Amino acid sequence: MQTYLLQVCFMRVDNLIIIFLCTGMELVGPRARVLGGTVISVFYTFGEVILGVVAWWLLNWRYLLRVFYIPIFFCFSYLWLLPESVRWLLTMGKIEEARNTIIKAAKRNGVKLSEETLNKFEMNSLCEHKSFHDVSDEEEEKSAKEILKQVMRSKILLLRVVNCSFCWATITFVFFGLSLTSVSVGGNKFTSFTLAALIELPAYAVFFFTMDRFGRKATLCVSLVVSGISCISFAFVPTDMEWMQMLLFLAGKFSITISFTVVYVYTAEMFPTELRHSLLGVCAMVGRIGSMIAPQTPLLERYLESLPLLLFGGMSIASGLLSLYFPETLNMKLPDTIEEAEQIGRKNGRRRR
């Protein structure tokens, strides 16, 4: 019961990361996206470690729920502490709110913006988004429906959503599956769970130094393939070689953690601002299928002991190869419209030629 509760606790709270990371990607520039994603992910790992330690200390799932779910209510303070995304405000035509947010950010950073710069920003924003102030509710609803229809008509975005959803499902399936398996690797289940969480910290360091050097696509592909190879190799190692099993297990968790962090940033960069939250939510929603199936994988050991690891490895390698069809978004401006999102792949295609 306690083992499954450990998984349920951090799988449900994981949904909040989607909101935090998507907002964070829109609050920073291209060079700071990787840093922002890394910081958010590191604190996520700290939460996992604290969960394992506190669960070991309490040894009662009722007390564990009370301890961990009460602090979540403090998230309501973000309504006043966290500024709204300037990109979202501009897309929605809220020019004045976007202007005020920029002025507050400049003041906190000790930067003085001239009135000429602010006026120029406001005029450009009004020219691009003047229609937002004059549309009726009926027209807004029609516009939203038209955008969704446009996504369905766009072969590029549609295939990208399908591929990205499968990638999310694979990563969550392997990540949470390995987290669940960690309690059976070694002796004390709480120690094993905590160590499996701590291995994520060096993975975030590797993620930080490779994303901007080698690109999103290469990092995601290699990490998924390495995780798959590690899981499959684990299945064929004799049980008496515990050190080798532990090494391969940690290598698999290390690699899939990199993939998990990459896919958050990568997904936010591939879709337009007007649909970023929605499409990121769709991909994450499909990804939850993987996290729901993961706790059931130990049942497969009744038929073949190594079957769960083989399944983890096979899906990781398949997803890694399919990720090669994603466009590279390194140093690319976040797309604001569907047309700009489609152009990411086309521009990369021209560069390769």
Side-chain angles (χ1 to χ4, degrees), residues 99-165:
R99 176 190 172 100
N100 294 334
T101 301
I102 290 177
I103 292 176
K104 290 180 182 178
K107 186 177 181 180
R108 290 181 179 179
N109 292 321
V111 178
K112 188 176 182 180
L113 298 177
S114 65
E115 193 64 28
E116 181 182 354
T117 301
L118 291 174
N119 290 335
K120 184 178 179 181
F121 160 79
E122 188 171 355
M123 288 300 298
N124 291 337
S125 301
L126 283 171
C127 291
E128 293 177 4
H129 304 282
K130 59 181 180 179
S131 60
F132 280 96
H133 293 285
D134 301 323
V135 296
S136 63
D137 294 339
E138 184 177 337
E139 289 172 329
E140 285 183 1
E141 184 179 354
K142 181 180 179 181
S143 178
K145 291 181 179 179
E146 190 62 31
I147 291 174
L148 292 176
K149 289 180 181 179
Q150 195 171 352
V151 173
M152 297 300 294
R153 292 193 216 104
S154 173
K155 184 179 179 181
I156 295 175
L157 282 187
L158 190 58
L159 291 177
R160 195 177 295 174
V161 170
V162 173
N163 193 5
C164 194
S165 297

Side-chain angles (χ1 to χ4, degrees), residues 259-323:
S259 303
F260 212 158
T261 314
V262 173
V263 78
Y264 272 114
V265 179
Y266 207 1
T267 305
E269 293 179 339
M270 283 191 291
F271 298 119
T273 301
E274 55 190 351
L275 287 175
R276 184 170 296 118
H277 288 78
S278 299
L279 295 182
L280 178 57
V282 169
C283 295
M285 179 186 67
V286 176
R288 296 307 151 208
I289 296 176
S291 61
M292 288 188 292
I293 297 176
Q296 311 303 321
T297 52
L299 299 175
L300 298 175
E301 295 180 358
R302 299 177 180 178
Y303 306 98
L304 181 63
E305 187 175 357
S306 59
L307 187 55
L309 275 301
L310 293 174
L311 191 58
F312 295 154
M315 288 190 65
S316 292
I317 293 176
S319 185
L321 296 178
L322 288 174
S323 67

